[in-house]
Amino acid sequence: MPFARLTLTSIPTLDQANHLATELTELIAHDLGKRQELTSILVETSGISHWAIGAEGRLTAAHLEVCVTAGTNSEQEKRAFIANAMTILRTVLPGLNPATYVVIRELPATDWGYDGRTQADRAMDRIHGTALIGQEKS
């Protein structure tokens, strides 16, 4: 049940936003092994009029942060995701500076939840065989 926030310097077209959300959702499912139907993506603008990299203003800039449950992905999976996410961003956002950060934030299972229950509680249900049908693996 990952959550991803993509922050951009300018407002994308509806087609760009939909394309980015689709591509990133599919990538999270493929590279990080998460369930696509439970992946949430927020594409937003920075809300600021000036984004600088190296003290130089940039018209095209982005930051992608993906939250997942700690310990559910290997270093190799995370490495592949970061490289592939950057490829997607560069394809949709020409001129994107290399100082574009893709961050995978690992949160303890006790610190975030899905449908009002912590990931730790949901994992315990799976261990004890009481998980509800349709719930995702962390």
Side-chain angles (χ1 to χ4, degrees), residues 35 114-115 117-138:
R35 289 183 53 190
Y114 169 84
D115 197 25
R117 300 186 60 227
T118 69
Q119 290 295 76
D121 287 343
R122 294 177 69 242
M124 289 303 292
D125 282 351
R126 284 192 298 279
I127 290 168
H128 297 296
T130 59
L132 297 174
I133 296 173
Q135 289 188 338
E136 154 201 37
K137 291 182 181 178
S138 297

Side-chain angles (χ1 to χ4, degrees), residues 8-126:
L8 305 170
T9 51
S10 59
I11 299 172
T13 66
L14 184 56
D15 286 343
Q16 285 176 316
N18 285 332
H19 181 70
L20 286 164
T22 299
E23 292 289 321
L24 291 172
T25 298
E26 290 173 1
L27 185 64
I28 289 167
H30 180 267
D31 286 2
L32 299 178
K34 306 304 180 192
R35 289 183 53 190
Q36 187 168 329
E37 69 273 15
L38 299 179
T39 299
S40 295
I41 307 278
L42 173 61
V43 179
E44 64 183 358
T45 59
S46 61
I48 59 173
S49 59
H50 185 73
W51 190 317
I53 298 173
E56 188 176 313
R58 300 291 174 171
L59 295 177
T60 304
H63 174 81
L64 174 62
E65 184 172 309
V66 180
C67 297
V68 299
T69 302
T72 60
N73 291 103
S74 68
E75 286 185 34
Q76 183 178 1
E77 290 170 327
K78 292 184 276 187
R79 185 180 301 112
F81 173 79
I82 289 170
N84 292 330
M86 193 64 187
T87 298
I88 290 169
L89 293 174
R90 283 188 176 128
T91 299
V92 178
L93 305 167
L96 195 58
N97 190 281
T100 296
Y101 297 98
V102 176
V103 177
I104 299 172
R105 182 177 303 277
E106 293 188 290
L107 300 167
T110 57
D111 291 2
W112 75 320
Y114 169 84
D115 197 25
R117 300 186 60 227
T118 69
Q119 290 295 76
D121 287 343
R122 294 177 69 242
M124 289 303 292
D125 282 351
R126 284 192 298 279

